[in-house]
């Protein structure tokens, strides 16, 4: 009978699951951006649906937009509560996101996510106004079925802004959750009785 004994090298194996689960910072920033876009597009949407497209009451259009905001907020909060509960109870069997534990070596996570926050955040900050204005213009063009009014520059501005915002938001979420996990792990190890 062959027995194989391994010794610990002092490094902890990385696991993708754990508490807190990934996603709360990304979800909060995503909802904030959704709110800003709806707020910025509300006058255009009200004018379109109240006067040009459907002739619906402006109050009814505003009420519908407010209901959409509340619905998306409720769904976001419930999804995050479920995700965190699953992570806390260990029932989270699925992986969320595309950066699995084996794809990113442990010594590089701070650098990769830090660069994502810095570069994505800087690009999103620079393209914020242009991206939101382009989004409102695209909403108006699509709602009036005036595809010829869509400018390539607006499409590029929207893609660059939302893409860079998504990278920054995702990276900040990963960075924040990883730091919290590391702090919790160190706290548990220091509180554990010495043998």
């Amino acid at each position: 009978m062959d027995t194989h004994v391994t010794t610990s090298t002092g490094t902890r194996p990385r696991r993708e699951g754990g508490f807190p689960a990934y996603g709360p910072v990304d979800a909060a920033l995503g909802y904030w951006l959704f709110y800003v876009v709806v707020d910025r597009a509300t006058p255009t949407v009200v004018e379109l649906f109240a006067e040009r497209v459907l002739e619906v009451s402006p109050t009814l259009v505003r009420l519908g937009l407010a209901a959409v905001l509340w619905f998306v907020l409720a769904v976001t909060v419930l999804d995050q509560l479920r995700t965190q509960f699953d992570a806390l109870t260990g029932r989270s069997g699925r992986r969320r996101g595309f950066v699995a534990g084996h794809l990113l070596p442990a010594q590089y996570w701070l650098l990769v996510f830090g660069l994502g926050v810095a570069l994505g955040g800087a690009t999103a900050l620079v393209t914020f106004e242009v991206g939101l204005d382009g989004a409102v213009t695209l909403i108006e063009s699509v709602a009036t079925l005036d595809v010829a009014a869509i400018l390539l520059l607006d499409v590029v501005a929207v893609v660059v802004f939302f893409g860079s915002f998504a990278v920054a938001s995702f990276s900040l979420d990963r960075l924040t959750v990883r730091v919290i996990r590391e702090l919790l792990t160190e706290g548990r190890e220091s509180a554990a009785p010495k043998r």
Side-chain angles (χ1 to χ4, degrees), residues 96-173:
R96 297 179 67 137
F98 70 91
V99 178
H102 62 281
L103 294 178
L104 185 62
Q107 63 268 29
Y108 297 123
W109 67 268
L110 181 64
L111 176 66
V112 170
F113 295 138
L115 280 174
V117 170
L119 296 177
T123 306
L125 189 61
V126 168
T127 59
F128 182 78
E129 287 298 326
V130 177
L132 288 181
D133 290 342
V136 171
T137 302
L138 289 177
I139 290 170
E140 183 175 8
S141 298
V142 169
T144 58
L145 301 175
D146 188 10
V147 181
I150 296 176
L151 299 174
L152 181 61
L153 188 60
D154 288 336
V155 174
V156 170
V158 168
V159 168
V160 169
F161 169 67
F162 283 98
S164 60
F165 186 89
V167 167
S169 174
F170 177 85
S171 299
L172 184 61
D173 180 75

Side-chain angles (χ1 to χ4, degrees), residues 72-116:
V72 171
L73 178 62
V75 168
T76 303
V77 169
L78 289 174
D79 179 58
Q80 285 305 307
L81 288 174
R82 181 195 51 78
T83 302
Q84 297 303 324
F85 179 75
D86 286 349
L88 187 62
T89 59
R91 295 190 313 177
S92 179
R94 62 187 172 152
R95 292 185 178 187
R96 297 179 67 137
F98 70 91
V99 178
H102 62 281
L103 294 178
L104 185 62
Q107 63 268 29
Y108 297 123
W109 67 268
L110 181 64
L111 176 66
V112 170
F113 295 138
L115 280 174

